[in-house]
Amino acid sequence: MSSNDYIIGVDAGTSGIKALAFSFRGELIRSEKRQLEVLPSEQGWMEHDAELIFRSALSCITELVGSMGSNPHAIGFCTFMHSIMPVDKQVVPLGNLQLWNDNRSAPAASLLKNTVTGNDIYSHTGAPVHPMSPLTKLRQMRVSDPESFKNAEWFIGIKEYLLYKFTGKLIIDYSTASATGMFDSRNRKWYVPATDWCGIKPSRLAEPVSSLETFPCILDHLKDILIVPGLSDGAAANLGAGNIDPSECTLTLGTSAAVRFTGPGKTTDTEGVLFSYCLDEATYISGGASNNCFNVVEKIVSSLGLGPECLNDPEFMSDKADNLIYLPWMFGERAPIQLLEPMSGFIELSSSCQPVHQVKSVVTCILYNLKHIAEKLSLLNDGNFECIHLSGGLSHIKPIRLLASSIFNVPLAEHLTGESSALGTAIYTARAAGIVSDYNDIRQWNPIKKIHKADPILAEKFEFSYRQFRKISEDHLRKEGRIR
């Protein structure tokens, strides 16, 4: 392998760091991974140690570069969205990173939701008003932690922290900035009414830069390698899954889940639950994110005394519990409805229902929840989606693919590699570095391995069950006063 003929895509997630080396043709050459754990908290907070994430990312990159025997042409980053922390003048953290699923800013979100100011901020930023948002986290910090709020020189997320460590510049790419709830994604600058509501000046946030800009690395052993600010993990996953046509969408089934499509226009909904974030200067990723996916399955499987292998049990696809309804909002919800508090459990669970059948009900109802998001998105997209691209860990499990294809009743595209976030970051990096000129190259980088078509009989049955799920779950939500 000669010098500079590969690039690195770094995917920083809440549960781990991945650094993957790709050739200029998109071939995966080598990879390094490090596991991460969310910090324990007696208060129920969801936090991470930003410095630990940096050290893990640097360790991955250093070992990967060492094994390749030469420096890469460029390194690009994607990171999880919606994190925020206060830092001092030397960009030293004054506290831990608050994560997307940290719910302590629920009071601030409730204060802004469904107000004239909240609707205005949503229309300009494309980020739903929700406790996930740094917008509401900063407002709440001003009230709940005034000392940190006052002493902070800047407020930044994990992307800004990593870019500062690698480039010495306090910058944030347009894609990640879009998810803060404070970025005017049409005018590509911080939206002053949003920062005013938080109680800060835009100067206390990082400088927004084009995701396609490059900066030299300042670290000694990686000196002058091009650093590409890159994307948010959601935008990278969409791109890496080959979703570049607005008639198609991506279904990501990971710890949490999302449905997204790529298009030339910014789209928001009247309910304010869908997002529309920048991919670059001319393209947007629109979609809906769910708090609940494998994290729910994992807890249910464990509570029933099973292991994850039960998802491949032949009995898993039995129809013995197809009428069993599970409310899947164990971790609250962002879309298709907003729930600031959890709501989950089986409805009319029979004692004769075996554990593996209960797990199938959980997975099925999680997919119903995501189908509801897809229906909302199709209204914004002026028509039903013609194809769904799969990504995320659960999409590799055959029974779940079978369920998804019949529930959505749309052809599902399974791609050669499931590392869509890192791959999307890599092609974005390659474009910024001048190696590729068009996103269409992702079709060659990550070709479709197989198209899964719906079984028409199962599709009809699941459509009826989906409508039942919608009616029963919405009746329960109204009864509990969660929706009107």
Side-chain angles (χ1 to χ4, degrees):
M1 180 70 63
S2 60
S3 178
N4 286 346
D5 59 358
Y6 73 98
I7 53 178
I8 291 177
V10 179
D11 177 11
T14 55
S15 59
I17 306 286
K18 302 173 186 176
L20 292 87
F22 293 94
S23 74
F24 290 177
R25 296 184 301 276
E27 300 158 327
L28 176 59
I29 305 168
R30 284 192 177 91
S31 65
E32 286 291 332
K33 300 180 182 182
R34 301 290 185 274
Q35 292 298 115
L36 295 172
E37 290 187 7
V38 174
L39 298 175
S41 168
E42 293 181 2
Q43 302 94 329
W45 297 345
M46 304 299 287
E47 297 182 329
H48 246 313
D49 180 338
E51 181 62 21
L52 176 61
I53 294 174
F54 162 66
R55 292 199 304 268
S56 298
L58 182 60
S59 172
C60 276
I61 294 169
T62 301
E63 191 158 335
L64 182 60
V65 171
S67 67
M68 292 294 293
S70 64
N71 285 344
H73 185 79
I75 301 172
F77 290 86
C78 78
T79 58
F80 51 84
M81 293 179 278
H82 314 302
S83 64
I84 199 77
M85 66 178 176
V87 297
D88 67 15
K89 291 181 179 181
Q90 286 73 46
V91 197
V92 174
L94 298 175
N96 293 320
L97 277 168
Q98 288 188 41
L99 303 181
W100 63 269
N101 51 354
D102 188 302
N103 209 37
R104 79 185 81 169
S105 63
S110 297
L111 186 67
L112 185 61
K113 183 73 175 173
N114 296 324
T115 65
V116 172
T117 301
N119 293 339
D120 172 71
I121 291 173
Y122 172 62
S123 69
H124 280 82
T125 66
V129 175
H130 190 275
M132 70 179 179
S133 173
L135 169 77
T136 61
K137 294 182 191 303
L138 283 178
R139 173 73 177 231
Q140 192 66 35
M141 190 187 301
R142 189 176 73 176
V143 175
S144 303
D145 190 4
E147 196 68 20
S148 293
F149 191 86
K150 177 184 176 182
N151 292 335
E153 185 74 13
W154 294 286
F155 300 97
I156 65 173
I158 189 58
K159 172 63 78 68
E160 301 97 290
Y161 191 68
L162 290 175
L163 291 177
Y164 178 78
K165 289 286 194 176
F166 279 87
T167 70
K169 297 183 180 297
L170 200 58
I171 53 178
I172 182 171
D173 59 272
Y174 292 161
S175 174
T176 307
S178 295
T180 64
M182 297 177 285
F183 185 70
D184 187 331
S185 53
R186 285 195 180 97
N187 295 315
R188 308 296 192 269
K189 61 183 181 181
W190 296 118
Y191 188 51
V192 173
T195 56
D196 282 349
W197 186 80
C198 295
I200 64 170
K201 299 292 185 184
S203 58
R204 297 181 78 185
L205 300 172
E207 178 190 356
V209 298
S210 168
S211 308
L212 292 169
E213 284 194 51
T214 62
F215 301 85
C217 186
I218 61 171
L219 300 176
D220 286 342
H221 57 295
L222 302 171
K223 195 79 170 178
D224 294 330
I225 295 172
L226 293 182
I227 299 295
V228 178
L231 303 158
S232 68
D233 57 354
N238 227 51
L239 184 59
N243 181 201
I244 52 177
D245 188 324
S247 68
E248 305 170 350
C249 70
T250 299
L251 175 63
T252 298
L253 302 173
T255 301
S256 56
V259 186
R260 313 179 198 86
F261 72 91
T262 305
K266 180 177 176 178
T267 56
T268 54
D269 68 303
T270 56
E271 296 174 82
V273 299
L274 302 178
F275 61 77
S276 194
Y277 301 150
C278 294
L279 176 65
D280 58 23
E281 287 81 351
T283 314
Y284 291 84
I285 301 290
S286 300
S290 171
N291 289 0
N292 304 279
C293 194
F294 184 66
N295 49 3
V296 177
V297 175
E298 192 174 36
K299 282 190 173 293
I300 293 295
V301 165
S302 176
S303 70
L304 293 171
L306 302 174
E309 65 276 2
C310 73
L311 298 171
N312 284 303
D313 188 320
E315 193 62 25
F316 177 81
M317 289 302 293
S318 165
D319 61 2
K320 293 177 182 176
D322 280 359
N323 294 324
L324 178 61
I325 298 292
Y326 178 78
L327 304 179
W329 306 297
M330 184 180 287
F331 296 93
E333 192 52 290
R334 289 177 279 175
I337 53 173
Q338 283 197 358
L339 296 174
L340 301 186
E341 298 295 333
M343 185 174 182
S344 64
F346 292 101
I347 296 176
E348 298 180 2
L349 176 61
S350 167
S351 59
S352 63
C353 186
Q354 295 180 29
V356 69
H357 303 146
Q358 295 177 43
V359 175
K360 183 191 177 185
S361 172
V362 170
V363 172
T364 300
C365 292
I366 286 171
L367 291 172
Y368 287 159
N369 195 54
L370 295 168
K371 180 181 172 74
H372 190 183
I373 295 175
E375 287 185 344
K376 285 179 176 289
L377 281 176
S378 67
L379 294 175
L380 295 183
N381 202 33
D382 298 325
N384 293 327
F385 296 108
E386 298 171 4
C387 176
I388 295 177
H389 298 267
L390 287 173
S391 70
L394 278 182
S395 68
H396 304 315
I397 299 174
K398 182 178 179 180
I400 292 179
R401 291 197 300 269
L402 292 173
L403 280 176
S405 64
S406 296
I407 288 171
F408 282 82
N409 197 18
V410 175
L412 300 184
E414 180 186 359
H415 288 263
L416 188 63
T417 177
E419 298 285 4
S420 56
S421 292
L423 184 63
T425 304
I427 195 166
Y428 206 87
T429 302
R431 185 170 176 232
I435 297 165
V436 301
S437 59
D438 198 298
Y439 292 140
N440 284 307
D441 284 3
I442 199 68
R443 300 288 193 180
Q444 283 74 50
W445 283 42
N446 195 12
I448 293 173
K449 183 169 77 172
K450 187 174 182 180
I451 295 287
H452 302 273
K453 294 185 177 180
D455 180 312
I457 296 175
L458 283 178
E460 183 177 357
K461 184 181 76 168
F462 279 122
E463 179 63 24
F464 175 80
S465 297
Y466 166 65
R467 297 298 163 189
Q468 289 293 106
F469 166 80
R470 287 279 306 275
K471 181 180 184 307
I472 292 170
S473 62
E474 287 169 12
D475 285 347
H476 274 258
L477 288 167
R478 288 190 184 92
K479 184 179 178 181
E480 294 288 326
R482 305 294 188 92
I483 61 172
R484 296 178 181 178

